[in-house]
Amino acid sequence: MQPLLLKDASHMVDSALAHGRALGCHPLTVAVLDAGGHLLALKREDDSGILRPRIAQAKAWGALGMGAGSRGLAARAADAPAFFQSLTTISDGRIAPVPGGVLIRDSEGHVIGAVGISGDHPDRDEACAVHAIESAGHVADAG
Amino acid sequence: MQPLLLKDASHMVDSALAHGRALGCHPLTVAVLDAGGHLLALKREDDSGILRPRIAQAKAWGALGMGAGSRGLAARAADAPAFFQSLTTISDGRIAPVPGGVLIRDSEGHVIGAVGISGDHPDRDEACAVHAIESAGHVADAG
Amino acid sequence: MQPLLLKDASHMVDSALAHGRALGCHPLTVAVLDAGGHLLALKREDDSGILRPRIAQAKAWGALGMGAGSRGLAARAADAPAFFQSLTTISDGRIAPVPGGVLIRDSEGHVIGAVGISGDHPDRDEACAVHAIESAGHVADAG
Amino acid sequence: MQPLLLKDASHMVDSALAHGRALGCHPLTVAVLDAGGHLLALKREDDSGILRPRIAQAKAWGALGMGAGSRGLAARAADAPAFFQSLTTISDGRIAPVPGGVLIRDSEGHVIGAVGISGDHPDRDEACAVHAIESAGHVADAG
């Protein structure tokens, strides 16, 4: 398993932002975390709200934390609200059960990191994350 | 874009409190934050509860954090309760999805701060915030 | 014992800032807390750092917390560094052992609140706080 | 006063990393914050430690919080250790009194953000931050 490199993480951030501009998204914040949940690269567009860096990271971190994209976590949260409420505290606020946090898998299926995006509708945030991961030659797992 | 000055923030606090007195509101707490979410001016009226300073700041901070007045956040929270619950922790308790947190926009539409008010019914809290922002010559965005 | 009123707290904030301007101080942040340690009034001057509201409140809160002005706490911290280190956590970061947090006593000696100021040298911060309290007809206890 | 744009923040991150490579630095993490202390852009080089993103941000945030570059904070911390210990908690761990956090000033002297770098010797971290700010046409204030 090859760890995610800054070169690839930077490419994903820029690719996600370019896709957001092409789709006419609201100002986005894009975070790429490594497999350990630690920030590799982040960019916040002009006029993207001041909480967006934390939300973007929480979408990605929560995906890594539970081993499933944040769309899947949103579905589980609807079924088990009390458990997901406890998870927000268990994780110190590093989980966000809403689409836009997508696992990065290598060609063998290993999780090597995650992309989290916040700023537009969750479905569009997620579309930008998937686009970025695939443009870097990896497999996107949105949950 | 001109940063919000203490002179204007102080004017907004006093204007909001005067409006609250004219409307016969319960004792209010009024907070004005700059664009980065940092307190510029705050006043808590006699007999306004001891949690009010935090609530007023959370209404304003949450609006800045998400780039939308807290009335809009309240509407979104009704649609995505699990996500907004997670936002409480992601933001370290600095978001309050209820009316009364209003963005201050300059004449070009840039967000230069926010007013948060707590103490009476949320609709009346918000009315005082809007009054204060407009009396200072800025544009109020309640969400 | 008469509780501290917003009218008096506002007067103290403005009086402290006027004194700071007369002394040529760096931009100041002034906080006035009631006897329960809860914010009554605060103003942050233009270009006063974004951590100043928390520091000003911690100077005042710590004074109330220990029943002694923050100059006295600074002296005790020099004698008992490990204990004061634990106090920063015990108080959730609401204590600052450095001059500039001054108790407000009424004519009978009862503590009715505290003023905390941050932005210039601690001795000058404290001088502004003492001036403000005395200008409101109360007794300043700097510790 | 023009707010710091992502375009400039991204340029500073890349410029700092290029300077670090030219100097033969250990793997670096570079963070650029806006005037309110919120992340605009960050990159962590391959093999840069997992705590580096927080340290880099704390160097920059602490500089903004106190209105002085982190070299100046390091000097003050040597004079007032108990107070700086309390600042660690007052700021929720967002201050690091060691060189490498440099204020970004515009041509009129206004603080528009800060660069924080961690990974090599603090003097070299700081040199990369100063280089990045100056290469973007702004004024570096290392404290």
Side-chain angles (χ1 to χ4, degrees), chain B residues 68-79:
Chain B
S70 66
R71 176 175 294 276
L73 301 184
R76 292 191 215 170
D79 287 338

Side-chain angles (χ1 to χ4, degrees), chain A residues 6 34 39-40 44 46, chain D residues 6 34 39-40 42 44 46:
Chain A
L6 173 59
D34 66 18
L39 196 56
L40 276 173
R44 176 164 61 102
D46 305 331
Chain D
L6 172 58
D34 67 17
L39 197 55
L40 277 172
L42 180 144
R44 178 163 61 101
D46 304 333

Side-chain angles (χ1 to χ4, degrees), chain C residues 16 19-28 45 119-121 124-125 128:
Chain C
H19 198 62
R21 283 316 104 233
L23 293 178
C25 287
H26 293 304
L28 299 176
E45 291 190 305
D120 202 289
H121 187 282
R124 285 155 66 95
D125 294 342
C128 293

Side-chain angles (χ1 to χ4, degrees), chain A residues 68-87:
Chain A
S70 65
R71 175 175 294 277
L73 301 185
R76 291 191 216 170
D79 288 339
F83 177 51
F84 270 77
Q85 198 168 350
S86 72
L87 284 183

Side-chain angles (χ1 to χ4, degrees), chain A residues 63 67-76 98-105 126 130 140-143:
Chain A
S70 65
R71 175 175 294 277
L73 301 185
R76 291 191 216 170
V98 66
V102 182
L103 292 174
I104 307 165
R105 293 188 185 274
E126 183 190 80
V130 169
D141 177 354

Side-chain angles (χ1 to χ4, degrees), chain A residues 15-125:
Chain A
S15 170
L17 291 180
H19 198 62
R21 283 316 103 232
L23 294 177
C25 288
H26 293 303
L28 300 177
T29 297
V30 179
V32 178
L33 309 188
D34 66 18
H38 302 286
L39 196 56
L40 276 173
L42 180 146
K43 289 189 182 180
R44 176 164 61 102
E45 290 190 306
D46 305 331
D47 298 318
S48 184
I50 60 178
L51 188 52
R52 300 292 180 189
R54 285 198 177 200
I55 299 171
Q57 291 179 77
K59 288 186 182 184
W61 202 96
L64 292 163
M66 301 298 283
S70 65
R71 175 175 294 277
L73 301 185
R76 291 191 216 170
D79 288 339
F83 177 51
F84 270 77
Q85 198 168 350
S86 72
L87 284 183
T88 64
T89 303
I90 289 172
S91 69
D92 287 330
R94 289 181 293 185
I95 191 167
V98 66
V102 182
L103 292 174
I104 307 165
R105 293 188 185 274
D106 65 15
S107 55
E108 293 172 341
H110 294 117
V111 173
I112 59 171
V115 176
I117 300 184
S118 179
D120 202 288
H121 187 282
D123 289 344
R124 286 155 66 93
D125 294 342

